[in-house]
Amino acid sequence: MRGKLLPLAGLYLVQGLPYGLQSGLLPVLLRAGGLSLTRVGLAKVLYAPWLLKLAWAPLVDAQGLARAWVTRSTAGLGLVCGLLAGLPPPGAGQAGLPAAVAGLLLLLNLGAAMQDVALDALAVQLLEPAELGPGNTVQVVAYKLGAALAGGALLALLPTFSWPQLFLLLAATYWLAAALAWAAPALRRLPQQPPSEQRPHTAHLLRDVLAVPGTVWTAGFVLTYKLGEQGASSLFPLLLLDHGVSAPELGLWNGVGAVVCSIAGSSLGGTLLAKHWKLLPLLRSVLRFRLGGLACQTALVFHLDTLGASMDAGTILRGSALLSLCLQHFLGGLVTTVTFTGMMRCSQLAPRALQATHYSLLATLELLGKLLLGTLAGGLADGLGPHPCFLLLLILSALPVLYLDLAPSTFL
């Protein structure tokens, strides 16, 4: 199994680099160059290709050569980084984001999203059912590490390395990963798809995808399972900031602490699945723990506004709030790994010529579910107030627990 997981880890790690680059490094460069917060925020439009993965997923299925797609897209990412190395950095005497840089960053996201489709399809084909838990742990953890490296480590290197040097380093990393994808023995042994199955599904694509056992239930679950969690994780740190927790301390706990706890939770999920825990009972238990954690966090939100409540350093309330923050990220990582395992198990039931499209549909819905409440939580809190908003988020977190009772036999 190690021969499979090591190349997957390397490829998922480089897949996280563009997200970290544009969520950590790029906003700092743009703001340092004098751009307004509004214009810095508008740079997130460059993420658009990630929501359009279904547009090219059928092409990956039609060709049936996921390893070739991974290799080409990864090498293409290296080429884009090489071109970016030849352009001036954002903010270097520019009034905004230069059009050439914006175009190449959009192309970088397009290539990363295409690599995501092919790499997920490759993992679906490569991993045996007993390997799905560790495989999805590698997927989640490696991606988060890649994003952290690009968003944090590259930012730390800025005083030492110039813009061209940083992107040449990224280009070399991508080309090395492409060579790994092409040469890794475990990936070379993947069976070729029979020519009779290499057909594009166009006219009845959605019908064929939804006909795969368990797909409709899984689609509903991944669209809703993160609603309460994402809303709380977006809103709770801001409430702590309003009640006196300093920005540097909050950044430490909600940044470094959150990543460490999320990775620990993901690793535990993979370990439990590797020890032959049944997916559905494990998911039910984890969701109940997450619901309990969010109930405690909701109680803290109510207590923050009571007379005499103190968030001073060293107080029990402050420690409980920061502990709650980390606990939710730990449980969130655990839930994510188990859910991704269920998604991949469902996609393995699809015909080989549909697997990339099938998993891309589930992954896109999962992303939409994450973005929905994470984006709207602030508006809900402003409109309803923090207390009703957190009660609503608590109810939303209870719904996936009830929804599990409708799960098909696919996950038994």
Side-chain angles (χ1 to χ4, degrees), residues 93-395:
Q94 304 281 343
L97 186 64
V101 174
L104 286 175
L105 288 173
L106 186 66
L107 195 59
L108 190 71
N109 275 308
L110 177 63
M114 186 173 293
Q115 188 217 31
D116 177 63
V117 171
L119 183 54
D120 287 339
L122 187 148
V124 169
Q125 298 168 13
L126 182 67
L127 297 173
E128 301 294 333
E131 299 169 340
L132 288 179
N136 280 278
T137 300
V138 163
Q139 175 189 6
V140 175
V141 171
Y143 182 90
K144 289 178 179 178
L145 286 176
L149 284 172
L154 290 185
L155 191 58
L157 288 174
L158 265 181
T160 306
F161 285 78
S162 64
W163 169 273
Q165 289 172 327
L166 286 178
F167 275 94
L168 286 176
L169 177 62
L170 285 173
T173 302
Y174 276 120
W175 289 326
L176 182 62
L180 171 69
W182 186 253
L187 306 188
R188 293 178 64 87
R189 289 194 295 267
L190 277 172
Q192 297 294 320
Q193 184 174 328
S196 60
E197 295 184 13
Q198 295 179 14
R199 56 186 179 87
H201 292 251
T202 51
H204 306 292
L205 177 64
L206 183 60
R207 183 196 66 185
D208 293 342
V209 168
L210 295 179
V212 176
T215 299
V216 175
W217 181 89
T218 307
F221 181 77
V222 301
L223 186 61
T224 57
Y225 85 111
K226 282 279 187 177
L227 289 180
E229 176 194 317
Q230 286 296 114
S233 64
S234 298
L235 189 58
F236 190 65
L238 301 181
L239 295 180
L240 295 183
L241 193 64
D242 292 343
H243 284 81
V245 178
S246 68
E249 183 179 10
L250 192 59
L252 176 65
W253 286 91
N254 197 45
V256 178
V259 170
V260 171
C261 290
S262 180
I263 288 174
S266 296
S267 301
L268 177 60
T271 300
L272 293 176
L273 288 169
K275 291 184 179 299
H276 308 295
W277 279 56
K278 295 288 187 180
L279 191 146
L280 192 59
L282 177 59
L283 192 56
R284 181 178 284 109
S285 298
V286 173
L287 287 175
R288 286 173 176 168
F289 275 117
R290 187 184 68 174
L291 181 61
L294 186 55
C296 293
Q297 198 169 84
T298 302
L300 285 170
V301 170
F302 276 82
H303 189 62
L304 286 174
D305 293 326
T306 60
L307 187 64
S310 173
M311 287 288 288
D312 293 338
T315 59
I316 294 177
L317 182 58
R318 189 189 193 95
S320 299
L322 295 175
L323 179 63
S324 171
L325 194 69
C326 291
L327 177 63
Q328 284 300 97
H329 283 288
F330 174 82
L331 293 173
L334 182 50
V335 171
T336 299
T337 295
V338 179
T339 299
F340 278 20
T341 301
M343 290 163 55
M344 198 165 285
R345 181 178 296 182
C346 186
S347 292
Q348 287 183 335
L349 299 177
R352 180 76 174 275
L354 267 180
Q355 287 178 344
T357 304
H358 187 278
Y359 193 85
S360 293
L361 171 66
L362 297 180
T364 301
L365 292 175
E366 198 266 348
L367 177 61
L368 286 173
K370 285 180 177 178
L371 292 175
L372 184 60
L373 255 294
T375 303
L376 299 178
L380 286 172
D382 284 338
L384 301 175
H387 297 172
C389 182
F390 263 81
L391 287 175
L392 174 61
L393 296 175
L394 187 62
I395 293 171

